[in-house]
């Protein structure tokens, strides 16, 4: 008879929520760059690419940092995946909204 | 019958990498959909998980390559500014005009009928595309870490499928606008 070894869901929850946090951070960076000219200029890490280089870098750095921190915190824990997933969907939705031109052009 | 260097990069970015990501999606989604303990044997689940791991990692890597080549190689050519023209003087009766066809963004925004391809289409595409690799990587990681457990944990499986679909939808929007914009203002 086969025995199933069940892992705690903490690592999965950390990866899923971190993706949501990274998506939201990217969206926030897009709005911020649009609203504050100095931020837009600051985000121009590459002259050829323009502010997009900084906005994406911010999103990736926040995503990786969130993943590392949550991954360490929840490594051996069983968390409420339903709540984590719901929060992730909200964060992704906000990130998507923030990167929609009609929305970020309001700033 | 030939392509310029820029056209080759645009083909690699959109028609090779982007298309591969979009095409692979349905296969991997089917693996997740059928990966259910009440439908498939343990051996079937093991094989399905193996295919899902390979598929999700291929898609995550392809998504990263697509956005990186798009943002750092193709996009700078798209958004390059045409050289500033000298003001016409009596001595220069007809200054040489810049061919905007080599500057897709400038070409699009110069005409009110095509400006929205940049102001809405490209502005949306360049941003939404970046959601795809982030979300696809999370799905690939969880799939490789939890393997067969995904088949026994419906919430986890549905969470992964949902994030995977969002990742695909983001890539789909970016790919669709990429195709339209390339049609309206090709990169030479």
């Amino acid at each position: 008879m086969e025995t199933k070894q069940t892992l705690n869901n903490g690592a999965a929850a950390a990866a899923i929520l971190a993706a949501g946090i990274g998506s939201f951070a990217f969206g926030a960076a897009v709005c911020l760059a649009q609203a504050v000219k100095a931020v837009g200029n600051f985000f121009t890490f590459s002259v050829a690419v323009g502010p997009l280089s900084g906005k994406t870098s911010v999103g990736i750095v926040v995503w990786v940092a969130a993943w590392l921190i949550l991954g360490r915190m929840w490594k051996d824990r069983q968390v409420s995946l339903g709540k984590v997933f719901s929060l992730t969907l909200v964060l992704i939705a906000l990130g998507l909204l923030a990167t929609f031109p009609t929305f970020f052009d309001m700033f | 019958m030939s392509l310029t260097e820029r056209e080759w990069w645009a083909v690699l970015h959109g028609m090779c990498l982007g298309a591969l990501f979009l095409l692979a999606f349905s296969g991997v989604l089917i693996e997740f959909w059928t990966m259910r303990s009440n439908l498939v044997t343990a051996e079937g689940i093991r094989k399905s998980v193996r295919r899902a791991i390979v598929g999700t990692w291929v898609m995550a890597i392809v998504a990263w390559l697509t956005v990186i080549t798009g943002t750092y190689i193709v996009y700078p050519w798209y958004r390059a500014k045409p050289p500033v023209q000298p003001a016409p003087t009596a001595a220069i009766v007809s200054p040489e005009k810049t061919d905007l066809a080599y500057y897709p963004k400038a070409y699009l925004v110069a005409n009110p009928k095509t400006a929205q391809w940049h102001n809405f289409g490209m502005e949306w595409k360049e941003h939404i595309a970046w959601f795809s690799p982030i979300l696809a990587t999370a799905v690939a990681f969880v799939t490789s870490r939890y393997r067969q457990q995904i088949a026994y944990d419906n919430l986890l499986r549905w969470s992964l499928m949902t994030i995977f679909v969002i990742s695909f939808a983001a890539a789909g929007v970016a790919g669709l606008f990429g195709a339209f914009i390339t049609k309206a203002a090709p990169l030479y």
Side-chain angles (χ1 to χ4, degrees):
Chain A
M1 189 180 156
E2 191 180 343
T3 53
K4 284 193 307 247
Q5 191 189 357
T6 307
L7 297 172
N8 285 322
N9 67 8
I16 288 169
L17 184 56
I21 292 170
S23 301
F24 177 75
F26 176 50
V30 170
C31 283
L32 206 58
Q34 187 75 8
V36 185
K37 197 169 168 53
V39 175
N41 293 336
F42 173 74
F43 280 163
T44 306
F45 294 175
S46 156
V47 176
V49 177
L52 183 62
S53 54
K55 292 183 267 188
T56 53
S57 300
V58 166
I60 291 169
V61 167
V62 172
W63 166 53
V64 172
W67 196 350
L68 289 173
I69 293 166
L70 290 170
R72 186 165 285 195
M73 278 169 54
W74 292 348
K75 192 179 164 192
D76 300 314
R77 284 181 57 187
Q78 187 72 14
V79 299
S80 170
L81 188 60
K83 284 181 186 168
V84 166
F85 179 55
S86 303
L87 179 58
T88 301
L89 286 184
V90 170
L91 290 169
I92 293 172
L94 289 173
L96 287 170
L97 177 68
T99 54
F100 190 67
T102 313
F103 181 81
F104 68 68
D105 281 343
M106 291 192 294
F107 293 98
Chain B
M1 199 168 81
S2 65
L3 294 174
T4 64
E5 184 198 352
R6 293 179 178 196
E7 285 170 328
W8 273 116
W9 277 108
V11 165
L12 177 72
H13 162 72
M15 290 176 70
C16 297
L17 296 170
L20 179 62
F21 179 89
L22 298 175
L23 287 172
F25 168 77
S26 52
V28 178
L29 187 68
I30 290 290
E31 295 297 347
F32 279 123
W33 183 261
T34 55
M35 201 189 291
R36 279 180 271 187
S37 56
N38 59 335
L39 289 182
V40 190
T41 60
E43 181 57 22
I45 289 172
R46 235 193 313 274
K47 285 182 178 170
S48 188
V49 165
R50 230 177 284 148
R51 286 192 295 267
I53 290 171
V54 172
T56 50
W57 276 117
V58 165
M59 286 182 69
I61 291 166
V62 165
W64 280 111
L65 290 175
T66 308
V67 294
I68 289 167
T69 55
T71 303
Y72 287 94
I73 297 174
V74 179
Y75 182 60
W77 292 328
Y78 166 85
R79 72 187 292 271
K81 288 183 177 142
V84 179
Q85 293 296 310
T89 63
I92 308 169
V93 178
S94 58
E96 190 184 325
K97 283 190 175 175
T98 303
D99 188 355
L100 286 184
Y102 291 97
Y103 303 92
K105 178 185 171 185
Y107 174 81
L108 290 174
V109 296
N111 183 346
K113 285 182 179 171
T114 55
Q116 281 300 94
W117 283 121
H118 172 77
N119 295 335
F120 180 80
M122 188 48 131
E123 290 285 351
W124 196 17
K125 168 192 162 58
E126 73 190 40
H127 293 117
I128 197 168
W130 278 87
F131 286 85
S132 192
I134 291 174
L135 300 177
T137 304
V139 173
F141 168 81
V142 175
T143 307
S144 345
R145 178 85 190 253
Y146 287 84
R147 296 173 173 260
Q148 283 95 322
Q149 200 170 319
I150 296 165
Y152 299 92
D153 187 336
N154 269 333
L155 180 58
L156 182 59
R157 196 168 57 84
W158 273 100
S159 304
L160 292 181
M161 278 199 292
T162 307
I163 293 170
F164 194 57
V165 168
I166 298 171
S167 170
F168 167 76
V173 169
L176 192 67
F177 274 101
F180 283 141
I181 292 164
T182 305
K183 177 87 177 145
L187 191 66
Y188 294 113

